[in-house]
Amino acid sequence: MLNCRNRAFEHYFVEAFMHGNWASEESKAFSKTLQEQCPNAGGGPLSRAVSKLPVGGTLYHEVLCNHDDSAVVLYLQAPSPGLTDTALCMVLEQMLAAPFFNSLRTEQQLGYIVGTGYVPHNQHPGMAFYIQSPQCSPKHLLDAMTDFLFQQLNEIEFYRFYWPTIQQNLIKQLEERDLTLSMKSQRLWVSLGTQDLGFNRNAKLAEKVKDLTFEEIQDFAHQLAKRERCGELVLFSKGKFEAISTQEKPTINSISQFKQEIPYY
Protein backbone atom coordinates (compact mmCIF):
# COMPACT_ATOMS: atom_id res chain seq x y z
CA MET A 1 0.00 0.00 0.00
CA LEU A 2 2.84 2.38 0.86
CA ASN A 3 4.54 1.80 -2.50
CA CYS A 4 1.24 2.31 -4.31
CA ARG A 5 0.68 5.60 -2.50
CA ASN A 6 4.18 6.81 -3.24
CA ARG A 7 3.84 6.01 -6.95
CA ALA A 8 0.48 7.79 -7.08
CA PHE A 9 2.05 10.96 -5.72
CA GLU A 10 5.13 10.95 -7.92
CA HIS A 11 3.37 13.14 -10.48
CA TYR A 12 0.12 15.04 -10.00
CA PHE A 13 -1.73 18.31 -10.60
CA VAL A 14 -2.76 20.77 -7.90
CA GLU A 15 -5.23 23.61 -8.28
CA ALA A 16 -6.02 25.74 -5.24
CA PHE A 17 -8.49 28.50 -4.51
CA MET A 18 -8.68 30.78 -1.48
CA HIS A 19 -11.61 33.09 -0.97
CA GLY A 20 -13.19 34.78 2.01
CA ASN A 21 -12.14 36.89 4.96
CA TRP A 22 -8.39 36.38 4.62
CA ALA A 23 -5.58 38.88 4.90
CA SER A 24 -3.12 39.22 2.01
CA GLU A 25 -0.30 37.88 4.18
CA GLU A 26 -2.32 34.77 5.00
CA SER A 27 -3.02 34.00 1.35
CA LYS A 28 0.66 34.40 0.45
CA ALA A 29 1.66 32.13 3.33
CA PHE A 30 -0.85 29.51 2.17
CA SER A 31 0.49 29.70 -1.37
CA LYS A 32 4.07 29.29 -0.18
CA THR A 33 3.18 26.33 2.05
CA LEU A 34 1.29 24.66 -0.80
CA GLN A 35 4.26 24.97 -3.13
CA GLU A 36 6.60 23.56 -0.49
CA GLN A 37 4.29 20.63 0.31
CA CYS A 38 3.69 19.70 -3.35
CA PRO A 39 7.12 19.44 -4.99
CA ASN A 40 5.93 16.87 -7.56
CA ALA A 41 2.93 18.85 -8.75
CA GLY A 42 4.05 19.02 -12.36
CA GLY A 43 1.17 17.18 -13.99
CA GLY A 44 -1.54 18.59 -16.21
CA PRO A 45 -5.16 19.15 -15.20
CA LEU A 46 -7.85 16.57 -15.91
CA SER A 47 -9.49 16.97 -19.28
CA ARG A 48 -12.83 18.78 -19.27
CA ALA A 49 -13.53 17.99 -22.92
CA VAL A 50 -17.16 17.25 -23.79
CA SER A 51 -18.24 14.46 -26.15
CA LYS A 52 -19.44 15.85 -29.49
CA LEU A 53 -22.80 14.29 -30.29
CA PRO A 54 -23.50 13.84 -34.02
CA VAL A 55 -25.85 16.34 -35.66
CA GLY A 56 -28.68 15.13 -37.89
CA GLY A 57 -29.39 11.87 -36.10
CA THR A 58 -30.14 10.51 -32.64
CA LEU A 59 -28.01 8.32 -30.40
CA TYR A 60 -29.82 5.84 -28.12
CA HIS A 61 -28.73 4.33 -24.83
CA GLU A 62 -30.83 2.02 -22.66
CA VAL A 63 -30.34 2.48 -18.92
CA LEU A 64 -30.93 -0.76 -17.05
CA CYS A 65 -33.11 -0.16 -14.00
CA ASN A 66 -35.04 -2.52 -11.75
CA HIS A 67 -38.27 -0.49 -11.71
CA ASP A 68 -41.69 -0.95 -13.29
CA ASP A 69 -41.91 2.65 -14.53
CA SER A 70 -40.58 3.62 -17.93
CA ALA A 71 -38.52 6.77 -18.35
CA VAL A 72 -37.11 8.79 -21.23
CA VAL A 73 -34.67 11.70 -21.36
CA LEU A 74 -34.16 13.57 -24.63
CA TYR A 75 -30.97 15.65 -24.50
CA LEU A 76 -30.17 18.28 -27.13
CA GLN A 77 -26.53 19.45 -27.19
CA ALA A 78 -25.74 22.93 -28.49
CA PRO A 79 -23.19 23.18 -31.31
CA SER A 80 -20.72 25.29 -29.30
CA PRO A 81 -19.99 26.54 -25.77
CA GLY A 82 -20.11 30.15 -26.99
CA LEU A 83 -22.20 32.83 -25.31
CA THR A 84 -24.72 33.03 -28.16
CA ASP A 85 -25.50 29.30 -28.25
CA THR A 86 -25.62 29.25 -24.45
CA ALA A 87 -28.06 32.15 -24.30
CA LEU A 88 -30.26 30.65 -27.04
CA CYS A 89 -30.41 27.32 -25.20
CA MET A 90 -31.36 28.99 -21.93
CA VAL A 91 -34.04 31.10 -23.60
CA LEU A 92 -35.58 28.27 -25.59
CA GLU A 93 -35.69 25.93 -22.58
CA GLN A 94 -37.52 28.58 -20.56
CA MET A 95 -39.97 29.18 -23.40
CA LEU A 96 -40.83 25.49 -23.72
CA ALA A 97 -40.80 24.47 -20.03
CA ALA A 98 -44.35 25.43 -19.03
CA PRO A 99 -46.05 24.33 -22.31
CA PHE A 100 -44.16 21.00 -22.21
CA PHE A 101 -45.40 20.28 -18.68
CA ASN A 102 -48.93 21.47 -19.46
CA SER A 103 -49.24 19.37 -22.62
CA LEU A 104 -47.61 16.11 -21.55
CA ARG A 105 -48.41 16.11 -17.82
CA THR A 106 -51.65 18.06 -17.38
CA GLU A 107 -53.42 17.37 -20.67
CA GLN A 108 -52.08 13.99 -21.83
CA GLN A 109 -51.24 12.70 -18.32
CA LEU A 110 -48.35 10.63 -19.64
CA GLY A 111 -46.51 10.48 -16.33
CA TYR A 112 -46.18 12.05 -12.91
CA ILE A 113 -42.61 13.31 -13.43
CA VAL A 114 -42.50 15.57 -16.49
CA GLY A 115 -40.12 18.45 -17.04
CA THR A 116 -37.34 20.22 -18.85
CA GLY A 117 -34.01 21.68 -17.86
CA TYR A 118 -31.07 23.72 -19.09
CA VAL A 119 -28.21 21.21 -18.73
CA PRO A 120 -24.64 22.43 -19.26
CA HIS A 121 -21.69 20.03 -19.13
CA ASN A 122 -18.46 21.84 -18.25
CA GLN A 123 -20.11 25.02 -19.54
CA HIS A 124 -21.17 23.37 -22.80
CA PRO A 125 -24.90 24.17 -23.10
CA GLY A 126 -27.74 21.77 -23.72
CA MET A 127 -31.41 21.12 -22.99
CA ALA A 128 -33.09 18.05 -21.49
CA PHE A 129 -36.72 16.94 -21.73
CA TYR A 130 -37.83 14.04 -19.54
CA ILE A 131 -40.80 11.90 -18.48
CA GLN A 132 -41.19 9.05 -15.99
CA SER A 133 -44.38 7.05 -16.43
CA PRO A 134 -46.15 4.08 -14.81
CA GLN A 135 -48.55 3.56 -17.73
CA CYS A 136 -46.75 4.31 -21.04
CA SER A 137 -43.96 2.57 -22.93
CA PRO A 138 -40.74 4.48 -23.58
CA LYS A 139 -41.55 4.59 -27.32
CA HIS A 140 -44.92 6.19 -26.56
CA LEU A 141 -43.21 8.78 -24.35
CA LEU A 142 -40.49 9.56 -26.87
CA ASP A 143 -43.00 9.92 -29.72
CA ALA A 144 -45.10 12.31 -27.65
CA MET A 145 -42.06 14.32 -26.59
CA THR A 146 -40.65 14.71 -30.09
CA ASP A 147 -44.08 15.44 -31.62
CA PHE A 148 -44.63 18.23 -29.11
CA LEU A 149 -41.11 19.59 -29.29
CA PHE A 150 -40.73 19.81 -33.05
CA GLN A 151 -44.27 21.14 -33.50
CA GLN A 152 -43.49 23.94 -31.05
CA LEU A 153 -40.16 24.69 -32.72
CA ASN A 154 -41.87 24.99 -36.09
CA GLU A 155 -44.51 27.28 -34.59
CA ILE A 156 -42.17 29.39 -32.49
CA GLU A 157 -43.86 32.62 -33.66
CA PHE A 158 -46.52 31.87 -31.05
CA TYR A 159 -44.01 32.76 -28.32
CA ARG A 160 -43.20 36.26 -29.60
CA PHE A 161 -45.69 37.79 -27.16
CA TYR A 162 -44.00 36.02 -24.20
CA TRP A 163 -40.44 36.83 -25.23
CA PRO A 164 -40.02 40.16 -23.33
CA THR A 165 -41.15 38.56 -20.04
CA ILE A 166 -38.92 35.52 -20.51
CA GLN A 167 -36.02 37.80 -21.42
CA GLN A 168 -36.40 39.94 -18.29
CA ASN A 169 -36.79 36.92 -15.98
CA LEU A 170 -33.66 35.29 -17.36
CA ILE A 171 -31.63 38.49 -17.08
CA LYS A 172 -32.77 38.85 -13.47
CA GLN A 173 -31.63 35.30 -12.69
CA LEU A 174 -28.22 35.84 -14.31
CA GLU A 175 -27.67 39.16 -12.53
CA GLU A 176 -28.79 37.88 -9.13
CA ARG A 177 -26.18 38.56 -6.47
CA ASP A 178 -24.73 35.83 -4.27
CA LEU A 179 -26.70 35.73 -1.01
CA THR A 180 -23.91 34.22 1.11
CA LEU A 181 -20.13 34.01 1.10
CA SER A 182 -20.32 30.25 0.56
CA MET A 183 -22.50 30.74 -2.54
CA LYS A 184 -19.99 33.21 -3.93
CA SER A 185 -17.08 30.87 -3.19
CA GLN A 186 -18.85 28.03 -4.97
CA ARG A 187 -19.53 30.20 -8.05
CA LEU A 188 -15.93 31.43 -8.19
CA TRP A 189 -14.54 27.90 -7.75
CA VAL A 190 -16.66 26.62 -10.65
CA SER A 191 -15.49 29.55 -12.77
CA LEU A 192 -11.87 28.75 -11.96
CA GLY A 193 -12.38 25.12 -12.96
CA THR A 194 -13.83 26.13 -16.34
CA GLN A 195 -11.12 28.71 -17.00
CA ASP A 196 -13.49 31.66 -16.59
CA LEU A 197 -10.68 33.64 -15.00
CA GLY A 198 -12.60 36.90 -15.30
CA PHE A 199 -15.31 35.39 -13.06
CA ASN A 200 -17.93 37.23 -15.09
CA ARG A 201 -19.55 34.65 -17.37
CA ASN A 202 -23.02 35.27 -15.93
CA ALA A 203 -22.68 39.00 -16.54
CA LYS A 204 -21.63 38.36 -20.14
CA LEU A 205 -24.56 35.97 -20.59
CA ALA A 206 -26.96 38.60 -19.24
CA GLU A 207 -25.66 41.09 -21.82
CA LYS A 208 -26.02 38.49 -24.56
CA VAL A 209 -29.63 37.79 -23.56
CA LYS A 210 -30.33 41.54 -23.62
CA ASP A 211 -28.99 41.73 -27.18
CA LEU A 212 -30.89 38.68 -28.52
CA THR A 213 -33.67 39.34 -31.00
CA PHE A 214 -36.71 37.15 -31.41
CA GLU A 215 -35.64 36.55 -35.02
CA GLU A 216 -32.43 34.90 -33.75
CA ILE A 217 -34.53 32.65 -31.51
CA GLN A 218 -36.77 31.79 -34.45
CA ASP A 219 -33.78 30.86 -36.60
CA PHE A 220 -32.29 28.70 -33.84
CA ALA A 221 -35.65 26.96 -33.26
CA HIS A 222 -36.19 26.24 -36.97
CA GLN A 223 -32.70 24.76 -37.29
CA LEU A 224 -33.44 22.56 -34.28
CA ALA A 225 -36.71 21.41 -35.85
CA LYS A 226 -34.85 20.44 -39.02
CA ARG A 227 -32.20 18.65 -36.89
CA GLU A 228 -29.49 20.86 -38.42
CA ARG A 229 -28.08 22.40 -35.25
CA CYS A 230 -27.88 20.19 -32.16
CA GLY A 231 -26.67 16.72 -31.30
CA GLU A 232 -29.36 14.42 -29.89
CA LEU A 233 -29.15 11.71 -27.25
CA VAL A 234 -32.04 9.58 -25.95
CA LEU A 235 -31.64 7.79 -22.62
CA PHE A 236 -34.44 5.38 -21.76
CA SER A 237 -35.44 2.73 -19.26
CA LYS A 238 -38.18 0.33 -20.35
CA GLY A 239 -39.57 -0.62 -16.92
CA LYS A 240 -42.29 -3.26 -17.38
CA PHE A 241 -42.83 -2.26 -21.01
CA GLU A 242 -41.23 -3.14 -24.32
CA ALA A 243 -37.95 -1.36 -25.01
CA ILE A 244 -37.51 1.15 -27.82
CA SER A 245 -36.40 -0.74 -30.91
CA THR A 246 -32.91 0.46 -31.80
CA GLN A 247 -32.31 -1.82 -34.76
CA GLU A 248 -30.49 0.09 -37.50
CA LYS A 249 -30.25 3.10 -35.15
CA PRO A 250 -27.03 4.51 -33.67
CA THR A 251 -26.85 2.91 -30.23
CA ILE A 252 -24.44 3.28 -27.31
CA ASN A 253 -23.93 -0.21 -25.94
CA SER A 254 -20.60 0.36 -24.20
CA ILE A 255 -20.05 3.76 -22.58
CA SER A 256 -16.27 3.23 -22.34
CA GLN A 257 -16.08 2.34 -26.04
CA PHE A 258 -18.29 5.32 -26.89
CA LYS A 259 -15.91 7.65 -25.05
CA GLN A 260 -12.94 6.22 -26.94
CA GLU A 261 -14.51 6.60 -30.38
CA ILE A 262 -16.54 9.83 -30.17
CA PRO A 263 -14.89 13.16 -31.07
CA TYR A 264 -14.64 15.87 -28.43
CA TYR A 265 -15.15 19.62 -28.29
Side-chain angles (χ1 to χ4, degrees), residues 218-253:
Q218 276 184 311
D219 184 56
F220 184 70
H222 290 157
Q223 289 182 37
L224 273 180
K226 295 177 183 178
R227 288 182 158 91
E228 296 175 346
R229 192 71 182 267
C230 290
E232 295 180 29
L233 172 65
V234 170
L235 304 175
F236 70 93
S237 180
K238 68 178 183 178
K240 62 183 178 182
F241 305 94
E242 185 178 351
I244 295 174
S245 175
T246 57
Q247 289 185 353
E248 300 182 359
K249 295 178 181 178
T251 305
I252 302 172
N253 295 314

Side-chain angles (χ1 to χ4, degrees), residues 41-254:
L46 292 174
S47 172
R48 293 180 180 270
V50 176
S51 300
K52 186 176 183 179
L53 300 180
V55 176
T58 306
L59 286 174
Y60 294 83
H61 177 63
E62 181 176 2
V63 179
L64 301 179
C65 179
N66 186 22
H67 199 289
D68 285 344
D69 288 2
S70 66
V72 174
V73 177
L74 171 62
Y75 174 70
L76 302 178
Q77 182 187 60
S80 82
L83 291 176
T84 299
D85 281 336
T86 301
L88 286 168
C89 263
M90 297 176 80
V91 167
L92 204 54
E93 186 277 325
Q94 293 227 344
M95 279 186 175
L96 297 174
F100 184 82
F101 180 87
N102 184 61
S103 176
L104 279 68
R105 173 68 175 88
T106 306
E107 295 177 2
Q108 300 182 46
Q109 298 186 3
L110 296 182
Y112 48 83
I113 297 179
V114 177
T116 71
Y118 167 69
V119 185
H121 291 282
N122 288 334
Q123 297 287 24
H124 195 108
M127 297 177 285
F129 303 83
Y130 55 87
I131 304 178
Q132 180 178 335
S133 174
Q135 74 263 11
C136 297
S137 69
K139 182 181 186 305
H140 187 119
L141 298 179
L142 181 60
D143 288 345
M145 292 165 68
T146 53
D147 286 348
F148 166 86
L149 180 60
F150 292 107
Q151 178 188 4
Q152 297 298 309
L153 292 174
N154 279 314
E155 299 175 1
I156 199 70
E157 176 65 28
F158 170 79
Y159 294 92
R160 185 182 291 272
F161 174 79
Y162 302 99
W163 162 231
T165 301
I166 292 171
Q167 183 183 39
Q168 290 305 313
N169 288 341
L170 190 51
I171 291 170
K172 184 178 179 181
Q173 292 176 33
L174 290 168
E175 292 182 339
E176 189 173 32
R177 299 187 65 180
D178 302 305
L179 299 179
T180 65
L181 186 63
S182 62
M183 287 176 63
K184 186 174 183 179
S185 292
Q186 183 180 20
R187 177 176 61 81
L188 296 177
W189 179 248
V190 170
S191 296
L192 183 66
T194 56
Q195 295 301 301
D196 172 26
L197 302 183
F199 303 101
N200 59 354
R201 183 173 172 81
N202 280 359
K204 290 181 178 179
L205 274 173
E207 288 301 317
K208 180 59 66 174
V209 173
K210 290 177 185 177
D211 293 338
L212 279 181
T213 65
F214 190 77
E215 285 66 31
E216 288 178 281
I217 298 168
Q218 276 184 311
D219 184 56
F220 184 70
H222 290 157
Q223 289 182 37
L224 273 180
K226 295 177 183 178
R227 288 182 158 91
E228 296 175 346
R229 192 71 182 267
C230 290
E232 295 180 29
L233 172 65
V234 170
L235 304 175
F236 70 93
S237 180
K238 68 178 183 178
K240 62 183 178 182
F241 305 94
E242 185 178 351
I244 295 174
S245 175
T246 57
Q247 289 185 353
E248 300 182 359
K249 295 178 181 178
T251 305
I252 302 172
N253 295 314
S254 168

